[in-house]
PDB file of all heavy atoms in Angstrom:
ATOM      1  N   PHE Z   1     -96.370 -54.674 -22.337  1.00  0.00           N
ATOM      2  CA  PHE Z   1     -97.704 -54.966 -22.867  1.00  0.00           C
ATOM      3  C   PHE Z   1     -98.770 -54.703 -21.809  1.00  0.00           C
ATOM      4  O   PHE Z   1     -99.800 -54.064 -22.082  1.00  0.00           O
ATOM      5  CB  PHE Z   1     -97.768 -56.419 -23.337  1.00  0.00           C
ATOM      6  CG  PHE Z   1     -98.989 -56.747 -24.136  1.00  0.00           C
ATOM      7  CD1 PHE Z   1     -98.938 -56.721 -25.517  1.00  0.00           C
ATOM      8  CD2 PHE Z   1    -100.183 -57.089 -23.519  1.00  0.00           C
ATOM      9  CE1 PHE Z   1    -100.068 -57.027 -26.276  1.00  0.00           C
ATOM     10  CE2 PHE Z   1    -101.314 -57.394 -24.255  1.00  0.00           C
ATOM     11  CZ  PHE Z   1    -101.255 -57.366 -25.639  1.00  0.00           C
ATOM     12  N   GLY Z   2     -98.532 -55.186 -20.592  1.00  0.00           N
ATOM     13  CA  GLY Z   2     -99.501 -54.957 -19.525  1.00  0.00           C
ATOM     14  C   GLY Z   2     -99.663 -53.488 -19.185  1.00  0.00           C
ATOM     15  O   GLY Z   2    -100.779 -53.011 -18.948  1.00  0.00           O
ATOM     16  N   GLY Z   3     -98.542 -52.743 -19.177  1.00  0.00           N
ATOM     17  CA  GLY Z   3     -98.612 -51.313 -18.888  1.00  0.00           C
ATOM     18  C   GLY Z   3     -99.381 -50.547 -19.940  1.00  0.00           C
ATOM     19  O   GLY Z   3    -100.197 -49.664 -19.615  1.00  0.00           O
ATOM     20  N   LEU Z   4     -99.143 -50.871 -21.209  1.00  0.00           N
ATOM     21  CA  LEU Z   4     -99.867 -50.196 -22.294  1.00  0.00           C
ATOM     22  C   LEU Z   4    -101.354 -50.525 -22.244  1.00  0.00           C
ATOM     23  O   LEU Z   4    -102.199 -49.652 -22.488  1.00  0.00           O
ATOM     24  CB  LEU Z   4     -99.283 -50.601 -23.647  1.00  0.00           C
ATOM     25  CG  LEU Z   4     -97.907 -50.023 -23.991  1.00  0.00           C
ATOM     26  CD1 LEU Z   4     -97.380 -50.637 -25.288  1.00  0.00           C
ATOM     27  CD2 LEU Z   4     -97.980 -48.501 -24.131  1.00  0.00           C
ATOM     28  N   THR Z   5    -101.671 -51.772 -21.931  1.00  0.00           N
ATOM     29  CA  THR Z   5    -103.079 -52.165 -21.836  1.00  0.00           C
ATOM     30  C   THR Z   5    -103.785 -51.394 -20.735  1.00  0.00           C
ATOM     31  O   THR Z   5    -104.902 -50.883 -20.920  1.00  0.00           O
ATOM     32  CB  THR Z   5    -103.187 -53.679 -21.570  1.00  0.00           C
ATOM     33  OG1 THR Z   5    -102.569 -54.405 -22.632  1.00  0.00           O
ATOM     34  CG2 THR Z   5    -104.646 -54.104 -21.467  1.00  0.00           C
ATOM     35  N   GLN Z   6    -103.139 -51.290 -19.586  1.00  0.00           N
ATOM     36  CA  GLN Z   6    -103.758 -50.607 -18.446  1.00  0.00           C
ATOM     37  C   GLN Z   6    -103.878 -49.106 -18.686  1.00  0.00           C
ATOM     38  O   GLN Z   6    -104.878 -48.486 -18.296  1.00  0.00           O
ATOM     39  CB  GLN Z   6    -102.941 -50.868 -17.189  1.00  0.00           C
ATOM     40  CG  GLN Z   6    -103.565 -50.304 -15.916  1.00  0.00           C
ATOM     41  CD  GLN Z   6    -102.852 -50.783 -14.657  1.00  0.00           C
ATOM     42  OE1 GLN Z   6    -102.127 -51.760 -14.688  1.00  0.00           O
ATOM     43  NE2 GLN Z   6    -103.058 -50.075 -13.549  1.00  0.00           N
ATOM     44  N   ALA Z   7    -102.870 -48.509 -19.347  1.00  0.00           N
ATOM     45  CA  ALA Z   7    -102.863 -47.058 -19.523  1.00  0.00           C
ATOM     46  C   ALA Z   7    -103.679 -46.590 -20.726  1.00  0.00           C
ATOM     47  O   ALA Z   7    -104.355 -45.561 -20.665  1.00  0.00           O
ATOM     48  CB  ALA Z   7    -101.425 -46.562 -19.647  1.00  0.00           C
ATOM     49  N   PHE Z   8    -103.605 -47.337 -21.833  1.00  0.00           N
ATOM     50  CA  PHE Z   8    -104.208 -46.849 -23.080  1.00  0.00           C
ATOM     51  C   PHE Z   8    -105.212 -47.807 -23.719  1.00  0.00           C
ATOM     52  O   PHE Z   8    -105.913 -47.431 -24.652  1.00  0.00           O
ATOM     53  CB  PHE Z   8    -103.104 -46.550 -24.109  1.00  0.00           C
ATOM     54  CG  PHE Z   8    -102.074 -45.574 -23.620  1.00  0.00           C
ATOM     55  CD1 PHE Z   8    -100.803 -46.008 -23.266  1.00  0.00           C
ATOM     56  CD2 PHE Z   8    -102.379 -44.227 -23.496  1.00  0.00           C
ATOM     57  CE1 PHE Z   8     -99.838 -45.116 -22.817  1.00  0.00           C
ATOM     58  CE2 PHE Z   8    -101.428 -43.323 -23.043  1.00  0.00           C
ATOM     59  CZ  PHE Z   8    -100.161 -43.768 -22.695  1.00  0.00           C
ATOM     60  N   GLY Z   9    -105.236 -49.065 -23.256  1.00  0.00           N
ATOM     61  CA  GLY Z   9    -106.173 -50.018 -23.843  1.00  0.00           C
ATOM     62  C   GLY Z   9    -105.473 -51.084 -24.678  1.00  0.00           C
ATOM     63  O   GLY Z   9    -104.293 -50.965 -25.033  1.00  0.00           O
ATOM     64  N   SER Z  10    -106.218 -52.119 -25.009  1.00  0.00           N
ATOM     65  CA  SER Z  10    -105.658 -53.267 -25.723  1.00  0.00           C
ATOM     66  C   SER Z  10    -105.135 -52.910 -27.108  1.00  0.00           C
ATOM     67  O   SER Z  10    -104.134 -53.468 -27.574  1.00  0.00           O
ATOM     68  CB  SER Z  10    -106.715 -54.371 -25.843  1.00  0.00           C
ATOM     69  OG  SER Z  10    -107.073 -54.872 -24.576  1.00  0.00           O
ATOM     70  N   ALA Z  11    -105.807 -51.997 -27.789  1.00  0.00           N
ATOM     71  CA  ALA Z  11    -105.399 -51.671 -29.160  1.00  0.00           C
ATOM     72  C   ALA Z  11    -103.965 -51.147 -29.200  1.00  0.00           C
ATOM     73  O   ALA Z  11    -103.186 -51.509 -30.094  1.00  0.00           O
ATOM     74  CB  ALA Z  11    -106.359 -50.637 -29.750  1.00  0.00           C
ATOM     75  N   TRP Z  12    -103.601 -50.300 -28.222  1.00  0.00           N
ATOM     76  CA  TRP Z  12    -102.238 -49.766 -28.190  1.00  0.00           C
ATOM     77  C   TRP Z  12    -101.218 -50.861 -27.878  1.00  0.00           C
ATOM     78  O   TRP Z  12    -100.138 -50.909 -28.464  1.00  0.00           O
ATOM     79  CB  TRP Z  12    -102.147 -48.660 -27.136  1.00  0.00           C
ATOM     80  CG  TRP Z  12    -102.673 -47.350 -27.629  1.00  0.00           C
ATOM     81  CD1 TRP Z  12    -103.945 -46.876 -27.517  1.00  0.00           C
ATOM     82  CD2 TRP Z  12    -101.937 -46.344 -28.333  1.00  0.00           C
ATOM     83  NE1 TRP Z  12    -104.062 -45.645 -28.100  1.00  0.00           N
ATOM     84  CE2 TRP Z  12    -102.839 -45.285 -28.613  1.00  0.00           C
ATOM     85  CE3 TRP Z  12    -100.613 -46.229 -28.749  1.00  0.00           C
ATOM     86  CZ2 TRP Z  12    -102.453 -44.138 -29.292  1.00  0.00           C
ATOM     87  CZ3 TRP Z  12    -100.221 -45.072 -29.417  1.00  0.00           C
ATOM     88  CH2 TRP Z  12    -101.125 -44.054 -29.682  1.00  0.00           C
ATOM     89  N   ALA Z  13    -101.566 -51.752 -26.962  1.00  0.00           N
ATOM     90  CA  ALA Z  13    -100.640 -52.824 -26.587  1.00  0.00           C
ATOM     91  C   ALA Z  13    -100.402 -53.768 -27.756  1.00  0.00           C
ATOM     92  O   ALA Z  13     -99.247 -54.098 -28.089  1.00  0.00           O
ATOM     93  CB  ALA Z  13    -101.197 -53.592 -25.387  1.00  0.00           C
ATOM     94  N   PHE Z  14    -101.474 -54.213 -28.404  1.00  0.00           N
ATOM     95  CA  PHE Z  14    -101.313 -55.108 -29.541  1.00  0.00           C
ATOM     96  C   PHE Z  14    -100.644 -54.391 -30.713  1.00  0.00           C
ATOM     97  O   PHE Z  14     -99.867 -54.992 -31.455  1.00  0.00           O
ATOM     98  CB  PHE Z  14    -102.671 -55.670 -29.966  1.00  0.00           C
ATOM     99  CG  PHE Z  14    -103.161 -56.792 -29.089  1.00  0.00           C
ATOM    100  CD1 PHE Z  14    -104.135 -56.577 -28.136  1.00  0.00           C
ATOM    101  CD2 PHE Z  14    -102.633 -58.067 -29.219  1.00  0.00           C
ATOM    102  CE1 PHE Z  14    -104.586 -57.613 -27.326  1.00  0.00           C
ATOM    103  CE2 PHE Z  14    -103.073 -59.114 -28.419  1.00  0.00           C
ATOM    104  CZ  PHE Z  14    -104.052 -58.881 -27.464  1.00  0.00           C
ATOM    105  N   GLY Z  15    -100.920 -53.111 -30.869  1.00  0.00           N
ATOM    106  CA  GLY Z  15    -100.282 -52.353 -31.936  1.00  0.00           C
ATOM    107  C   GLY Z  15     -98.785 -52.209 -31.726  1.00  0.00           C
ATOM    108  O   GLY Z  15     -97.997 -52.317 -32.674  1.00  0.00           O
ATOM    109  N   PHE Z  16     -98.360 -51.969 -30.467  1.00  0.00           N
ATOM    110  CA  PHE Z  16     -96.934 -51.869 -30.175  1.00  0.00           C
ATOM    111  C   PHE Z  16     -96.219 -53.185 -30.493  1.00  0.00           C
ATOM    112  O   PHE Z  16     -95.151 -53.199 -31.117  1.00  0.00           O
ATOM    113  CB  PHE Z  16     -96.727 -51.512 -28.703  1.00  0.00           C
ATOM    114  CG  PHE Z  16     -95.293 -51.600 -28.250  1.00  0.00           C
ATOM    115  CD1 PHE Z  16     -94.395 -50.581 -28.529  1.00  0.00           C
ATOM    116  CD2 PHE Z  16     -94.839 -52.715 -27.557  1.00  0.00           C
ATOM    117  CE1 PHE Z  16     -93.062 -50.665 -28.123  1.00  0.00           C
ATOM    118  CE2 PHE Z  16     -93.518 -52.809 -27.140  1.00  0.00           C
ATOM    119  CZ  PHE Z  16     -92.626 -51.790 -27.434  1.00  0.00           C
ATOM    120  N   SER Z  17     -96.794 -54.303 -30.061  1.00  0.00           N
ATOM    121  CA  SER Z  17     -96.170 -55.594 -30.306  1.00  0.00           C
ATOM    122  C   SER Z  17     -96.103 -55.896 -31.803  1.00  0.00           C
ATOM    123  O   SER Z  17     -95.099 -56.433 -32.299  1.00  0.00           O
ATOM    124  CB  SER Z  17     -96.942 -56.705 -29.580  1.00  0.00           C
ATOM    125  OG  SER Z  17     -96.820 -56.563 -28.186  1.00  0.00           O
ATOM    126  N   ALA Z  18     -97.162 -55.554 -32.534  1.00  0.00           N
ATOM    127  CA  ALA Z  18     -97.154 -55.756 -33.979  1.00  0.00           C
ATOM    128  C   ALA Z  18     -96.080 -54.906 -34.647  1.00  0.00           C
ATOM    129  O   ALA Z  18     -95.393 -55.351 -35.581  1.00  0.00           O
ATOM    130  CB  ALA Z  18     -98.528 -55.435 -34.563  1.00  0.00           C
ATOM    131  N   ALA Z  19     -95.904 -53.669 -34.159  1.00  0.00           N
ATOM    132  CA  ALA Z  19     -94.874 -52.785 -34.723  1.00  0.00           C
ATOM    133  C   ALA Z  19     -93.480 -53.355 -34.491  1.00  0.00           C
ATOM    134  O   ALA Z  19     -92.612 -53.281 -35.385  1.00  0.00           O
ATOM    135  CB  ALA Z  19     -94.993 -51.392 -34.107  1.00  0.00           C
ATOM    136  N   CYS Z  20     -93.241 -53.919 -33.304  1.00  0.00           N
ATOM    137  CA  CYS Z  20     -91.944 -54.557 -33.030  1.00  0.00           C
ATOM    138  C   CYS Z  20     -91.695 -55.716 -33.993  1.00  0.00           C
ATOM    139  O   CYS Z  20     -90.578 -55.900 -34.500  1.00  0.00           O
ATOM    140  CB  CYS Z  20     -91.895 -55.056 -31.589  1.00  0.00           C
ATOM    141  SG  CYS Z  20     -91.751 -53.754 -30.343  1.00  0.00           S
ATOM    142  N   ALA Z  21     -92.735 -56.512 -34.238  1.00  0.00           N
ATOM    143  CA  ALA Z  21     -92.588 -57.654 -35.138  1.00  0.00           C
ATOM    144  C   ALA Z  21     -92.281 -57.199 -36.567  1.00  0.00           C
ATOM    145  O   ALA Z  21     -91.419 -57.776 -37.237  1.00  0.00           O
ATOM    146  CB  ALA Z  21     -93.858 -58.508 -35.109  1.00  0.00           C
ATOM    147  N   VAL Z  22     -92.963 -56.169 -37.029  1.00  0.00           N
ATOM    148  CA  VAL Z  22     -92.723 -55.664 -38.387  1.00  0.00           C
ATOM    149  C   VAL Z  22     -91.330 -55.059 -38.488  1.00  0.00           C
ATOM    150  O   VAL Z  22     -90.602 -55.301 -39.468  1.00  0.00           O
ATOM    151  CB  VAL Z  22     -93.804 -54.630 -38.765  1.00  0.00           C
ATOM    152  CG1 VAL Z  22     -93.443 -53.953 -40.083  1.00  0.00           C
ATOM    153  CG2 VAL Z  22     -95.171 -55.295 -38.869  1.00  0.00           C
ATOM    154  N   ALA Z  23     -90.933 -54.269 -37.498  1.00  0.00           N
ATOM    155  CA  ALA Z  23     -89.600 -53.664 -37.517  1.00  0.00           C
ATOM    156  C   ALA Z  23     -88.513 -54.737 -37.502  1.00  0.00           C
ATOM    157  O   ALA Z  23     -87.507 -54.636 -38.224  1.00  0.00           O
ATOM    158  CB  ALA Z  23     -89.444 -52.719 -36.323  1.00  0.00           C
ATOM    159  N   ALA Z  24     -88.694 -55.770 -36.686  1.00  0.00           N
ATOM    160  CA  ALA Z  24     -87.721 -56.858 -36.637  1.00  0.00           C
ATOM    161  C   ALA Z  24     -87.648 -57.589 -37.975  1.00  0.00           C
ATOM    162  O   ALA Z  24     -86.561 -57.982 -38.420  1.00  0.00           O
ATOM    163  CB  ALA Z  24     -88.085 -57.830 -35.517  1.00  0.00           C
ATOM    164  N   THR Z  25     -88.793 -57.752 -38.628  1.00  0.00           N
ATOM    165  CA  THR Z  25     -88.815 -58.409 -39.936  1.00  0.00           C
ATOM    166  C   THR Z  25     -88.014 -57.616 -40.959  1.00  0.00           C
ATOM    167  O   THR Z  25     -87.214 -58.176 -41.725  1.00  0.00           O
ATOM    168  CB  THR Z  25     -90.263 -58.576 -40.422  1.00  0.00           C
ATOM    169  OG1 THR Z  25     -91.008 -59.328 -39.461  1.00  0.00           O
ATOM    170  CG2 THR Z  25     -90.310 -59.296 -41.753  1.00  0.00           C
ATOM    171  N   VAL Z  26     -88.226 -56.299 -40.968  1.00  0.00           N
ATOM    172  CA  VAL Z  26     -87.486 -55.441 -41.907  1.00  0.00           C
ATOM    173  C   VAL Z  26     -85.985 -55.518 -41.634  1.00  0.00           C
ATOM    174  O   VAL Z  26     -85.170 -55.633 -42.571  1.00  0.00           O
ATOM    175  CB  VAL Z  26     -87.993 -53.984 -41.807  1.00  0.00           C
ATOM    176  CG1 VAL Z  26     -87.109 -53.052 -42.637  1.00  0.00           C
ATOM    177  CG2 VAL Z  26     -89.448 -53.896 -42.261  1.00  0.00           C
ATOM    178  N   LEU Z  27     -85.592 -55.452 -40.376  1.00  0.00           N
ATOM    179  CA  LEU Z  27     -84.172 -55.520 -40.025  1.00  0.00           C
ATOM    180  C   LEU Z  27     -83.576 -56.883 -40.359  1.00  0.00           C
ATOM    181  O   LEU Z  27     -82.409 -56.976 -40.771  1.00  0.00           O
ATOM    182  CB  LEU Z  27     -83.991 -55.222 -38.539  1.00  0.00           C
ATOM    183  CG  LEU Z  27     -84.168 -53.766 -38.123  1.00  0.00           C
ATOM    184  CD1 LEU Z  27     -84.042 -53.624 -36.618  1.00  0.00           C
ATOM    185  CD2 LEU Z  27     -83.134 -52.873 -38.809  1.00  0.00           C
ATOM    186  N   LEU Z  28     -84.344 -57.945 -40.170  1.00  0.00           N
ATOM    187  CA  LEU Z  28     -83.848 -59.278 -40.520  1.00  0.00           C
ATOM    188  C   LEU Z  28     -83.535 -59.356 -42.015  1.00  0.00           C
ATOM    189  O   LEU Z  28     -82.490 -59.881 -42.418  1.00  0.00           O
ATOM    190  CB  LEU Z  28     -84.890 -60.333 -40.144  1.00  0.00           C
ATOM    191  CG  LEU Z  28     -84.507 -61.786 -40.442  1.00  0.00           C
ATOM    192  CD1 LEU Z  28     -83.349 -62.229 -39.561  1.00  0.00           C
ATOM    193  CD2 LEU Z  28     -85.711 -62.715 -40.243  1.00  0.00           C
ATOM    194  N   ILE Z  29     -84.425 -58.821 -42.826  1.00  0.00           N
ATOM    195  CA  ILE Z  29     -84.214 -58.840 -44.281  1.00  0.00           C
ATOM    196  C   ILE Z  29     -83.032 -57.967 -44.669  1.00  0.00           C
ATOM    197  O   ILE Z  29     -82.207 -58.344 -45.515  1.00  0.00           O
ATOM    198  CB  ILE Z  29     -85.494 -58.362 -45.004  1.00  0.00           C
ATOM    199  CG1 ILE Z  29     -86.652 -59.338 -44.741  1.00  0.00           C
ATOM    200  CG2 ILE Z  29     -85.242 -58.225 -46.502  1.00  0.00           C
ATOM    201  CD1 ILE Z  29     -87.989 -58.831 -45.254  1.00  0.00           C
ATOM    202  N   ALA Z  30     -82.914 -56.800 -44.025  1.00  0.00           N
ATOM    203  CA  ALA Z  30     -81.941 -55.799 -44.467  1.00  0.00           C
ATOM    204  C   ALA Z  30     -80.538 -56.020 -43.904  1.00  0.00           C
ATOM    205  O   ALA Z  30     -79.550 -55.669 -44.566  1.00  0.00           O
ATOM    206  CB  ALA Z  30     -82.436 -54.403 -44.086  1.00  0.00           C
ATOM    207  N   THR Z  31     -80.425 -56.582 -42.699  1.00  0.00           N
ATOM    208  CA  THR Z  31     -79.115 -56.577 -42.030  1.00  0.00           C
ATOM    209  C   THR Z  31     -78.509 -57.960 -41.796  1.00  0.00           C
ATOM    210  O   THR Z  31     -77.314 -58.052 -41.506  1.00  0.00           O
ATOM    211  CB  THR Z  31     -79.209 -55.867 -40.661  1.00  0.00           C
ATOM    212  OG1 THR Z  31     -80.047 -56.628 -39.777  1.00  0.00           O
ATOM    213  CG2 THR Z  31     -79.783 -54.472 -40.820  1.00  0.00           C
ATOM    214  N   VAL Z  32     -79.312 -59.003 -41.877  1.00  0.00           N
ATOM    215  CA  VAL Z  32     -78.791 -60.355 -41.601  1.00  0.00           C
ATOM    216  C   VAL Z  32     -78.676 -61.123 -42.914  1.00  0.00           C
ATOM    217  O   VAL Z  32     -79.688 -61.508 -43.486  1.00  0.00           O
ATOM    218  CB  VAL Z  32     -79.700 -61.115 -40.612  1.00  0.00           C
ATOM    219  CG1 VAL Z  32     -79.126 -62.506 -40.329  1.00  0.00           C
ATOM    220  CG2 VAL Z  32     -79.864 -60.331 -39.318  1.00  0.00           C
ATOM    221  N   PRO Z  33     -77.457 -61.341 -43.395  1.00  0.00           N
ATOM    222  CA  PRO Z  33     -77.293 -62.039 -44.668  1.00  0.00           C
ATOM    223  C   PRO Z  33     -77.604 -63.520 -44.537  1.00  0.00           C
ATOM    224  O   PRO Z  33     -77.577 -64.096 -43.438  1.00  0.00           O
ATOM    225  CB  PRO Z  33     -75.818 -61.812 -45.000  1.00  0.00           C
ATOM    226  CG  PRO Z  33     -75.158 -61.656 -43.673  1.00  0.00           C
ATOM    227  CD  PRO Z  33     -76.167 -60.960 -42.802  1.00  0.00           C
ATOM    228  N   ARG Z  34     -77.898 -64.137 -45.652  1.00  0.00           N
ATOM    229  CA  ARG Z  34     -78.080 -65.590 -45.673  1.00  0.00           C
ATOM    230  C   ARG Z  34     -76.756 -66.238 -45.289  1.00  0.00           C
ATOM    231  O   ARG Z  34     -75.715 -65.933 -45.877  1.00  0.00           O
ATOM    232  CB  ARG Z  34     -78.499 -66.051 -47.069  1.00  0.00           C
ATOM    233  CG  ARG Z  34     -78.772 -67.567 -47.173  1.00  0.00           C
ATOM    234  CD  ARG Z  34     -79.043 -67.951 -48.611  1.00  0.00           C
ATOM    235  NE  ARG Z  34     -80.264 -67.305 -49.088  1.00  0.00           N
ATOM    236  CZ  ARG Z  34     -81.477 -67.830 -49.012  1.00  0.00           C
ATOM    237  NH1 ARG Z  34     -81.622 -69.017 -48.445  1.00  0.00           N
ATOM    238  NH2 ARG Z  34     -82.523 -67.190 -49.476  1.00  0.00           N
ATOM    239  N   PRO Z  35     -76.732 -67.130 -44.305  1.00  0.00           N
ATOM    240  CA  PRO Z  35     -75.457 -67.675 -43.831  1.00  0.00           C
ATOM    241  C   PRO Z  35     -74.808 -68.588 -44.862  1.00  0.00           C
ATOM    242  O   PRO Z  35     -75.481 -69.337 -45.580  1.00  0.00           O
ATOM    243  CB  PRO Z  35     -75.854 -68.457 -42.579  1.00  0.00           C
ATOM    244  CG  PRO Z  35     -77.283 -68.826 -42.803  1.00  0.00           C
ATOM    245  CD  PRO Z  35     -77.878 -67.669 -43.567  1.00  0.00           C
TER     246      PRO Z  35
END
């Protein structure tokens, strides 16, 4: 996050973190069954 902020600005850093959260959400729904 700090590297992206310094190199490209806050928008890229926050966008990367948001993308990780969305991707993790999709994988949680698709790959982790209800126990």
Side-chain angles (χ1 to χ4, degrees):
F1 191 96
L4 288 173
T5 300
Q6 185 170 342
F8 304 106
S10 296
W12 280 91
F14 281 103
F16 171 80
S17 293
C20 288
V22 172
T25 302
V26 172
L27 286 177
L28 180 67
I29 296 172
T31 66
V32 181
R34 182 186 296 269

